[in-house]
Amino acid sequence: MVTNITNFGRSGLSDWLIQRVSAVILALYTLFIVLYLLFNPGLDYATWSGLFAQTWMRIFSLLAFVSLSAHAWVGLWTVTTDYIKPTGIRVGAQTVIILAIFVFLVWGIQILWGA
Amino acid sequence: MLQVSIYRYNPETDSAPYMQEFQVDTQGRDIMVLDVLHLMKEQDNGLAYRRSCREGVCGSDGMNMNGKNGLACITPLSEVVKNGKLALRPLPGLPVIRDLVVDMGLFYKQYERIQPYLQNDTPAPAIERLQSPEDRDKLDGLYECILCACCSTSCPSFWWNPDKFVGPAGLLQSYRFLADSRDTATRERLSELEDPFSVFRCRGIMNCVAVCPKGLNPTRAIGKIRDMLLANAT
Amino acid sequence: MSNLRSLSFDAIIIGGGGAGLRAALELAKSGKKTAVLSKVFPTRSHTVSAQGGITCAIASADPDDDWRWHMYDTVKGGDYIADQDAAEYMCSEGPKAVFELEHMGLPFSRFDNGRIYQRPFGGQSKDFGAGGQAARTCAAADRTGHALLHTLYQNNLKNNTTFLNEWYAVDLVKNANGDVVGCIAMDIETGEVVHVKSKATVLATGGAGRIYASTTNALINTGDGIGMALRAGFPMQDMEMWQFHPTGIYGAGTLVTEGCRGEGGYLVNKDGERFMERYAPNAKDLAGRDVVARSMVMEILEGRGCGEHGDHVFLKLDHLGEEVLGKRLPGIVELSKTFAHVDPAKEPIPVVPTCHYMMGGIPTNVHGQAIMQDADGNDQIVNGLFACGEAACVSVHGANRLGGNSLLDLVVFGRAAGMFIEGALNEGIEYLDATESDIESAMKRMNRWNESEGGETVPELKRALQNIMQNSFGVFREEENMQKGVGQLAELRERIANAYLPDKTNAFNTARVEALELDNLMEVAEATAISALERKESRGAHSRYDYPDRDDVNWLKHSLYFPADKRLAKRDVNFTPKTVDTFEPKVRTY
């Protein structure tokens, strides 16, 4: 068993599962948005804002944001462990990635619920 | 005349590896790559490569032939030569000792890590342990591995993390014991594999399947291990 | 040369094939300081190529099977110069050894009732030859050797055996009393030469089929242990007895298992005739290997061979159907396609008798202790030296080995040697240390090659040796031709003594290894040639045109070749098994 402390789920199995579940959520969210745009060709600000004013859409969007964050963390963590061999640079890169993901997530929540 | 370009490196005399050109007279026959190496070794006795059974069961002569890993002894020229040329290189991703001879230490270490032996904590009977033909069939496609390392050294995940990712060969053997109805250490075996590297570095690109000289399918075995891990932990 | 680094072990096992690994496993379990020294990574050893199975009366196919029947077959198969106490030991201990392998995880094929699958092999009978064909060969499809070797390696890993992989044993080190106290060995990767000290040195170096131009043997089968023992002055037993396997793939020499015929395949000549019915009316294609090989050569010599040159026969399997071939003989289907360009489900495989197995070797007792003769012709144990597997001549195979008996030989006598050495170490072994000059004399030939400054090179000399053996010591032998061969070998020995090693670098120098191997091939070839010339009869695998009959009056004996004066002596065959009546020599028919 190889030990790890910077990966998302602390276990390869949970990372693997999270990666797949989050991918499904992101796919559904993307599909929904694409279809919504297709069926609303003359989209204006009021309609778009109205969509995001509904609670179910906010929950759905938050779920997608969280999924995206987890998905990115798992994926980028893997990339850093594959390609960045010096430990200092790798931990640094991982810290930057985690912070960025955190910032984007909080920012996203603020946009969703802030207005 | 066959033009062979071969990777040469002798740590005592060469500062860096280089490719050397040979002209080999195959007399127009469709011989095996290993036979070509024999002919080259008669020209240059210092050429180093491993070989033993010369029939594809010992796994000594895994090498990279025109960009693809395989066993030299069962690869006829007609299968690899392109435009009358053959390039021979050591298996990629492992340290080179000399010419085509690589240091297989990391590969063997990953094999040893999966505890490649039957574990059964019940007392052995006076005769053999019984196993149904159906249960025995589950080992087909697994136990035949010859440890030639063609698969693991064609796997990018193994190139990047040969110290942490077990690699296709080791995982195929891991599943060989997980699938054996006589083995009772399933739980312990699985708990050693659930970290993010040992199994989960497999990205399913199936390079291993494409090169296995015995026609085995490590990717499928890895999928089965993942299924077992999932079933065990959820 | 006190600058040699030395390593010390209780027991050193030279050779990582089935016999070596089985002996090592026994010793590793006992906690003795043991190392396996092998010139290849252990799973590259030639045991891996064994296909058909391991013959043993485990009473699976036939619940009434009896190890005594197996012993009878073995003694008869060996044309009555197998030692009956040894055959008794092997056949009676066999089931234990096979069940142990199964418990270690060997993936045997199975019958519906869950027991180990057994198939018929040549020379097998029930009820001491009276009950018809038996099915006694335990199999893991047609990859039994592979499965066995990997299982043994895996269990050695489990028991933390020390491995010196890719190390080459150069020569034995003897002390002033003539006891074997270790060896000189070279780490192939670095070229470092080391003095390995050991209280027990086990030669498990396998066969030497590479003395012939055409052989089923791996390229590594160069008789290293035989060469070392001969150079150390120890005698070799029954070296004229070389088995030619009936079914080597024509042209390539790769083996096609006897299991093909066990599963129902048979040989045909160019007329499509199943000719074995003429030579062996009862056992047909499953007669002893020597009988089948000779019959094939007769067909070819009498103009009924197949192909453009009429120089081979066909092995027919297509009638078995794809399902049986896929299930029971998958490896053969692969090999045929690769090396004969033939799909056995559709066409027959071109085959020809091919050198396969050395029945002779280092004479030992059932404990693996090497034996020599004193001045009065009495057996004498060689202190410190052991042998098992193909390198040893216990002798259970006599003049002709039965199919499936070699894997059994490996595990039974590997295990026996391990157990005996463990006991001896417990009782305490003390031999004189080797002196500087003892080590120096073991370094001689290594130094010779390293100092060589010109002359013929190894590949051409090796080819010359193989051609001499192929031409003069093949399936059929005859005085004049063998005399010629012996003369050519004597000449070749001189040439080899002056041969040249151009590459003297240290890192993984395979040219040096091949040079050292050539010396061993030379030793084996000469022992074979002189033994074959001197045994003036036909028995088992040794058939002479000029002496076509078995001569029990003069030659119901082992031959014993002494290297110092290239002399052939005789040694008594054991006819006193402990628990069964002696099998008296009878005319051997199948």
Side-chain angles (χ1 to χ4, degrees):
Chain A
M1 176 116 143
V2 181
T3 49
N4 298 277
I5 53 158
T6 52
N7 65 315
F8 184 76
R10 296 293 178 276
S11 116
L13 180 63
S14 75
D15 274 9
W16 180 80
L17 192 61
I18 287 163
Q19 199 73 336
R20 262 118 203 107
V21 172
S22 60
V24 169
I25 291 167
L26 288 171
L28 289 176
Y29 191 76
T30 308
L31 191 70
F32 170 78
I33 295 292
V34 169
L35 288 177
Y36 184 83
L37 292 175
L38 281 178
F39 284 101
N40 293 282
L43 187 65
D44 57 12
Y45 178 77
T47 325
W48 183 247
S49 167
L51 172 66
F52 281 89
Q54 300 181 55
T55 308
W56 68 265
M57 184 58 196
R58 287 187 176 182
I59 293 173
F60 191 19
S61 300
L62 181 62
L63 189 61
F65 287 4
V66 171
S67 293
L68 184 61
S69 304
H71 200 85
W73 187 346
V74 172
L76 290 171
W77 180 82
T78 305
V79 171
T80 58
T81 51
D82 268 354
Y83 297 109
I84 308 177
K85 291 300 169 188
T87 308
I89 303 177
R90 186 174 60 250
V91 173
Q94 287 171 351
T95 311
V96 170
I97 289 166
I98 291 167
L99 284 176
I101 288 171
F102 180 76
V103 168
F104 287 132
L105 183 62
V106 173
W107 193 3
I109 292 171
Q110 197 202 7
I111 291 170
L112 270 184
W113 262 281
Chain B
M1 279 291 174
L2 175 71
Q3 193 183 338
V4 186
S5 172
I6 187 166
Y7 181 100
R8 298 303 301 268
Y9 176 64
N10 182 337
E12 284 164 68
T13 54
D14 303 324
S15 55
Y18 60 98
M19 296 301 287
Q20 188 184 1
E21 302 297 319
F22 277 83
Q23 297 291 326
V24 183
D25 183 10
T26 60
Q27 294 167 349
R29 293 166 303 157
D30 185 20
I31 54 179
M32 302 294 173
V33 173
L34 182 65
D35 300 323
V36 173
L37 280 164
H38 288 333
L39 293 171
M40 290 163 69
K41 197 171 172 65
E42 291 191 7
Q43 287 181 40
D44 178 353
N45 211 223
L47 179 63
Y49 52 91
R50 292 189 176 100
R51 83 286 181 277
S52 172
C53 76
R54 59 85 177 89
E55 57 187 23
V57 292
C58 80
S60 296
D61 61 351
M63 60 185 68
N64 188 278
M65 300 170 284
N66 272 354
K68 192 178 172 192
N69 289 355
L71 296 180
C73 59
I74 53 169
T75 305
L77 290 178
S78 57
E79 223 171 74
V80 284
V81 171
K82 282 181 205 120
N83 305 322
K85 285 188 184 148
L86 177 62
L88 299 176
R89 289 187 178 82
L91 289 174
L94 292 175
V96 173
I97 296 173
R98 173 172 176 171
D99 299 342
L100 299 183
V101 178
V102 291
D103 181 351
M104 308 262 285
L106 280 165
F107 174 78
Y108 292 139
K109 216 173 137 194
Q110 291 298 350
Y111 172 66
E112 287 167 26
R113 219 186 92 199
I114 59 100
Q115 306 189 327
Y117 38 81
L118 192 83
Q119 299 180 58
N120 188 314
D121 51 19
T122 62
I127 59 164
E128 70 269 40
R129 288 197 163 91
L130 300 182
Q131 184 175 46
S132 70
E134 294 72 31
D135 279 340
R136 170 59 184 75
D137 284 348
K138 291 177 188 156
L139 308 183
D140 283 339
L142 305 172
Y143 82 96
E144 299 94 323
C145 172
I146 58 174
L147 300 178
C148 65
C150 285
C151 58
S152 292
T153 60
S154 68
C155 173
S157 286
F158 189 74
W159 294 342
W160 307 147
N161 291 292
D163 53 337
K164 293 177 178 171
F165 175 48
V166 174
L171 290 171
L172 186 79
Q173 286 320 291
S174 181
Y175 185 61
R176 176 250 174 278
F177 289 99
L178 286 166
D180 197 319
S181 62
R182 301 170 296 171
D183 192 278
T184 56
T186 308
R187 232 160 231 289
E188 294 80 353
R189 289 180 187 283
L190 290 176
S191 71
E192 285 298 312
L193 295 173
E194 64 178 26
D195 64 86
F197 282 98
S198 302
V199 174
F200 289 100
R201 267 311 142 105
C202 172
R203 296 273 164 267
I205 63 167
M206 297 177 84
N207 272 13
C208 52
V209 183
V211 298
C212 177
K214 305 308 283 181
L216 310 178
N217 190 330
T219 307
R220 185 164 57 210
I222 294 168
K224 295 256 176 79
I225 295 177
R226 235 169 10 215
D227 291 350
M228 289 179 86
L229 281 167
L230 200 60
N232 191 41
T234 51
Chain C
M1 291 284 284
S2 54
N3 52 356
L4 283 194
R5 182 162 72 101
S6 71
L7 295 171
S8 274
F9 298 99
D10 290 328
I12 180 86
I13 291 152
I14 304 173
L21 290 184
R22 187 62 191 81
L25 184 58
E26 207 60 40
L27 286 162
K29 279 188 196 162
S30 74
K32 301 294 176 212
K33 196 180 173 201
T34 316
V36 175
L37 188 153
S38 172
K39 65 176 174 178
V40 292
F41 182 77
T43 64
R44 325 287 183 212
S45 306
H46 189 52
T47 304
V48 84
S49 294
Q51 297 170 350
I54 176 166
T55 303
C56 187
I58 60 162
S60 168
D62 171 7
D64 300 322
D65 200 9
D66 190 321
W67 66 263
R68 292 165 193 86
W69 302 346
H70 178 200
M71 178 185 163
Y72 166 82
D73 293 341
T74 301
V75 170
K76 176 188 172 191
D79 223 346
Y80 298 96
I81 61 163
D83 286 317
Q84 299 200 7
D85 59 340
E88 177 188 36
Y89 182 83
M90 179 177 81
C91 297
S92 61
E93 285 288 296
K96 234 184 280 175
V98 169
F99 294 142
E100 279 170 3
L101 286 171
E102 195 282 333
H103 298 155
M104 288 181 217
L106 200 156
F108 281 112
S109 300
R110 301 286 172 156
F111 283 120
D112 284 339
N113 65 4
R115 293 211 59 191
I116 293 171
Y117 173 72
Q118 291 185 296
R119 61 162 56 111
F121 247 50
Q124 291 179 355
S125 76
K126 298 181 182 183
D127 199 12
F128 309 105
Q133 177 73 40
R136 195 173 288 133
T137 301
C138 312
D142 56 358
R143 301 188 178 96
T144 317
H146 169 277
L148 184 146
L149 187 64
H150 280 252
T151 302
L152 284 175
Y153 179 64
Q154 292 162 352
N155 279 271
N156 271 287
L157 288 179
K158 186 178 180 180
N159 287 282
N160 298 314
T161 305
T162 303
F163 283 99
L164 300 173
N165 291 335
E166 297 187 326
W167 280 57
Y168 186 77
V170 180
D171 262 316
L172 296 173
V173 174
K174 291 200 294 182
N175 67 12
N177 297 335
D179 311 323
V180 174
V181 291
C183 66
I184 297 293
M186 176 179 75
D187 179 351
I188 298 174
E189 185 179 329
T190 62
E192 188 194 10
V193 178
V194 169
H195 173 209
V196 181
K197 294 184 195 172
S198 169
K199 291 171 186 159
T201 302
V202 184
L203 295 174
T205 52
R210 286 284 150 184
I211 61 169
Y212 287 92
S214 170
T215 174
T216 64
N217 281 195
L219 293 156
I220 57 169
N221 286 23
T222 52
D224 297 327
I226 309 292
M228 282 191 275
L230 281 168
R231 271 190 303 277
F234 300 119
M236 284 302 133
Q237 181 169 282
D238 295 337
M239 286 301 289
E240 65 278 26
M241 299 302 178
W242 281 87
Q243 177 164 82
F244 288 79
H245 196 289
T247 54
I249 292 180
Y250 171 70
T254 39
L255 173 71
V256 172
T257 174
E258 186 165 305
C260 292
R261 284 169 284 140
E263 297 288 347
Y266 54 84
L267 297 163
V268 295
N269 59 22
K270 73 168 182 187
D271 306 320
E273 182 205 5
R274 185 176 181 181
F275 58 85
M276 280 312 298
E277 289 177 333
R278 268 188 281 121
Y279 296 92
N282 297 313
K284 297 176 187 140
D285 294 82
L286 288 178
R289 283 179 179 173
D290 55 331
V291 176
V292 179
R294 268 194 298 277
S295 308
M296 292 167 70
V297 174
M298 292 303 291
E299 288 299 296
I300 291 167
L301 291 176
E302 288 169 11
R304 291 187 294 275
C306 307
E308 199 183 328
H309 305 290
D311 54 358
H312 57 272
V313 300
F314 281 133
L315 172 63
K316 194 171 134 53
L317 295 176
D318 56 295
H319 57 287
L320 300 180
E322 277 193 45
E323 202 191 318
V324 171
L325 289 174
K327 182 107 191 131
R328 300 291 181 210
L329 302 166
I332 295 307
V333 175
E334 250 176 66
L335 281 172
S336 308
K337 287 179 180 167
T338 308
F339 289 102
H341 307 295
V342 151
D343 178 357
K346 299 192 181 90
E347 300 159 86
I349 310 171
V351 291
V352 71
T354 307
C355 170
H356 182 59
Y357 187 84
M358 175 177 79
M359 268 76 72
I362 300 157
T364 70
N365 59 21
V366 293
H367 307 300
Q369 293 178 284
I371 290 168
M372 57 190 288
Q373 263 183 349
D374 64 17
D376 305 321
N378 297 316
D379 283 358
Q380 203 184 352
I381 301 289
V382 180
N383 284 333
L385 184 65
F386 297 80
C388 52
E390 191 171 341
C393 182
V394 188
S395 148
V396 283
H397 308 307
N400 169 64
R401 173 173 72 76
L402 290 188
N405 265 358
S406 110
L407 290 183
L408 187 64
D409 172 6
L410 303 186
V411 292
V412 167
F413 292 108
R415 175 175 174 269
M419 293 191 299
F420 181 84
I421 293 168
E422 182 191 346
L425 287 168
N426 286 341
E427 284 172 23
I429 301 176
E430 284 307 326
Y431 299 128
L432 276 182
D433 274 346
T435 62
E436 287 300 304
S437 77
D438 296 332
I439 296 170
E440 193 63 40
S441 66
M443 283 290 297
K444 240 188 238 160
R445 72 180 184 115
M446 180 85 167
N447 292 336
R448 214 284 299 158
W449 282 108
N450 287 340
E451 287 153 16
S452 67
E453 283 177 347
E456 292 178 276
T457 57
V458 172
E460 51 186 312
L461 292 167
K462 192 194 289 179
R463 213 168 15 234
L465 181 143
Q466 291 168 336
N467 286 333
I468 296 170
M469 295 309 290
Q470 193 77 26
N471 293 333
S472 297
F473 303 93
V475 175
F476 285 106
R477 300 162 174 184
E478 170 273 322
E479 180 86 12
E480 199 183 329
N481 196 14
M482 284 196 287
Q483 285 284 13
K484 192 177 105 196
V486 169
Q488 289 172 326
L489 285 174
E491 201 181 297
L492 189 69
R493 180 181 277 280
E494 283 306 306
R495 290 164 64 192
I496 290 176
N498 293 305
Y500 177 46
L501 174 68
D503 181 358
K504 300 197 175 63
T505 56
N506 290 314
F508 222 100
N509 187 342
T510 51
R512 179 179 287 127
V513 173
E514 287 181 16
L516 294 166
E517 287 174 340
L518 178 63
D519 288 330
N520 294 326
L521 289 170
M522 183 66 229
E523 298 294 344
V524 178
E526 196 163 40
T528 298
I530 291 171
S531 306
L533 181 64
E534 295 295 322
R535 185 183 277 271
K536 298 192 188 320
E537 64 155 351
S538 288
R539 180 185 299 274
H542 179 63
S543 342
R544 297 182 58 147
Y545 286 126
D546 42 0
Y547 297 94
D549 300 319
R550 195 171 84 186
D551 176 1
D552 284 349
V553 178
N554 295 305
W555 281 106
L556 194 60
K557 297 276 183 190
H558 295 298
S559 71
L560 209 58
Y561 168 80
F562 287 86
D565 44 3
K566 302 187 197 293
R567 164 176 65 94
L568 199 76
K570 293 177 185 176
R571 180 170 171 250
D572 288 338
V573 174
N574 180 292
F575 283 99
T576 51
K578 293 192 181 70
T579 61
V580 292
D581 294 336
T582 302
F583 296 120
E584 298 295 341
K586 287 191 291 194
V587 177
R588 187 164 159 256
T589 54
Y590 284 103

